[in-house]
Amino acid sequence: MKNGSTHLTCVRIISTVEFMVAAGCRQGSVNIFQIPKEAPPDVCAELLLKSKPTERYTVRNIHRGAITDLVWSKNGMKLFSGDSCGVVALTEINYQARTCESREIVNEKYEVVQMCLRKDKLLVSTTYRTVMCSLEDAYKWRVTQVGKKDRKMLSHFGAVFHEYHKQQQVVCTRSGFRLWVADSEGDVAQTLIFKELIKLPTVEVPILNPSKHPIRIPTTFGTLHPFQDRFLLSVANDMLFVLDLDQMKVVASLTRLRKILDISVHKHEILILESARSLLRISTLPDSSQATILYKNLDLFTASDADSQIAPADECLEVAPQRSTTSTCENHDQDSVDGVVPPPEDHPAAAPTAESVHLVTHLKKLELFETLNELKYDESILFKSGRKTKRKHKAQKVNPIVEIGQMAKEGGAENGEKDQE
């Protein structure tokens, strides 16, 4: 971005022939980056030598408020964008002509909370109502409200397409932990009530460093996110709930979060942005990077009946004097892990207790964290404060970001200011 003070509010990525990254900012502009993929090794040498720069399309003068949501079509040729003023725009990209055309398709006058695309139907949920936008011809969209009853209050309710009892339906949130199930024409067929189910005991998703603040009482569901084609995730007052609509139950919950700024779901992964520098990954499978190390120690992070709570990362644990005289803290050196003196086998304290099992589990986690910290990584990813000094490097081929309509200059020089929308 040219303006260093530009504040990004929404980012969406899709992988097609190339990587397409759409970034919306607080000022209302949308930048679309076309990032080439690395060519497979079996292609001809001529294509490998052809380096293609990253290109950028810029959408301006369409939105008058901050971008709140972005949705890609499957082929990456269409991008829908919604803002805080209720404007929903469509940007169509012509990769051969290297042009993009943007136009407003609907204006709801209220902030766009969530959008979902299914074939030629766009679901738009605002703070006032949920509407279905259907494409009738090349430039005309038909808008249908989901449900006949208006909301009694403005709220950040979400809406998605979801398979319910083996049929594609529209699911949108209402007040009081209610969900509307509607057909493709917006007619509500059923209301699902989770008000009492949300109070029942459920599985708490374990995390490494949970919040120490008291659990807040949720009041209503918010945005919705499909998960593993069967479940729905709902955000409620900085809490996360996993819902099974077919069986009408709350599968799991995550209540020990500090805040939920944004959430992204991809296959079996859930990424939660707690703050500007706190990102949580929750998944049913280990991370592909360093998967071997994590998979061998996966049992350390699974909740058991005896001890379902994981110690916070900043907590210091002290062993009772009758068992050991060595105290262990997370900030100690690794040598302190081996400093715990076990009692004799015939001693009464030799029988494993809940505290000793908890301590051993905690120490194993510390040992795992030390192993991960010692792994090699690229130092360029570290944030370094202070002024940057220019260093002379050998001549290398650089692929700068090129705005459409401009040619890349050698040595990574700045490009022209001409944009073609």
Side-chain angles (χ1 to χ4, degrees), residues 290-308:
Q290 315 302 341
T292 304
I293 297 176
L294 292 177
Y295 185 74
K296 289 181 179 179
N297 300 272
L298 193 61
D299 57 328
L300 298 178
F301 306 106
T302 56
S304 61
D305 296 335
D307 183 16
S308 60

Side-chain angles (χ1 to χ4, degrees), residues 10-259:
C10 187
V11 178
R12 294 292 183 268
I13 304 173
I14 189 172
S15 174
T16 57
V17 179
E18 297 176 318
F19 292 112
M20 300 300 299
V21 181
C25 68
R26 184 180 293 170
Q27 288 75 16
S29 63
V30 179
N31 284 271
I32 303 171
F33 297 90
Q34 183 179 355
I35 304 175
K37 290 184 177 180
E38 184 177 353
D42 56 347
V43 300
C44 61
E46 184 179 354
L47 292 178
L48 290 175
L49 294 176
K50 279 187 176 181
S51 58
K52 186 178 179 181
T54 298
E55 298 178 340
R56 182 179 72 186
Y57 300 82
T58 305
V59 179
R60 301 189 184 95
N61 303 324
I62 295 292
H63 296 284
R64 295 177 290 276
I67 304 299
T68 56
D69 200 8
L70 296 166
V71 176
W72 280 105
S73 62
K74 283 189 176 181
N75 58 6
M77 298 182 68
K78 294 181 180 180
L79 175 69
F80 295 89
S81 53
D83 63 22
S84 58
C85 297
V87 174
V88 178
L90 168 62
T91 300
E92 295 182 285
I93 305 174
N94 189 328
Y95 294 102
Q96 293 183 349
R98 303 176 69 192
T99 60
C100 67
E101 179 184 358
S102 302
R103 63 180 182 276
E104 179 181 316
I105 62 174
V106 64
N107 191 342
E108 283 293 295
K109 307 296 183 182
Y110 292 89
E111 179 182 348
V112 176
V113 178
Q114 189 175 16
M115 297 189 300
C116 186
L117 181 64
R118 177 78 64 178
K119 295 181 180 179
D120 59 344
K121 293 183 180 294
L122 178 68
L123 195 60
V124 180
S125 181
T126 67
T127 55
Y128 177 67
R129 65 173 184 171
T130 300
V131 296
M132 181 96 63
C133 303
S134 305
L135 182 62
E136 291 189 340
D137 53 42
Y139 290 94
K140 188 177 180 181
W141 290 77
R142 178 170 59 91
V143 178
T144 305
Q145 179 173 315
V146 177
K148 297 180 181 179
K149 295 182 180 179
D150 295 332
R151 295 176 186 168
K152 298 180 181 179
M153 61 179 180
L154 299 180
S155 185
H156 286 70
F157 293 147
V160 294
F161 291 100
H162 183 66
E163 185 172 326
Y164 177 66
H165 289 312
K166 298 182 180 180
Q167 292 184 351
Q168 286 295 334
Q169 303 280 15
V170 174
V171 180
C172 56
T173 52
R174 299 285 290 182
S175 59
F177 294 107
R178 293 180 298 151
L179 297 177
W180 268 359
V181 180
D183 57 18
S184 58
E185 297 300 324
D187 297 327
V188 177
Q190 196 172 359
T191 300
L192 308 180
I193 303 175
F194 284 84
K195 186 175 182 180
E196 297 300 328
L197 298 176
I198 209 74
K199 301 177 183 178
L200 299 177
T202 184
V203 177
E204 176 73 14
V205 179
I207 55 178
L208 295 180
N209 190 16
S211 173
K212 299 178 181 179
H213 297 291
I215 298 177
R216 299 169 299 278
I217 300 177
T219 56
T220 184
F221 288 141
T223 56
L224 297 172
H225 306 271
F227 178 56
Q228 292 186 339
D229 298 329
R230 176 184 173 186
F231 305 113
L232 270 183
L233 301 182
S234 183
V235 178
N237 300 99
D238 295 327
M239 301 181 189
L240 190 66
F241 295 93
V242 183
L243 310 176
D244 188 341
L245 304 190
D246 291 340
Q247 299 185 12
M248 279 299 296
K249 67 177 183 179
V250 181
V251 179
S253 62
L254 180 52
T255 60
R256 290 294 185 177
L257 293 171
R258 291 161 180 79
K259 198 173 183 180

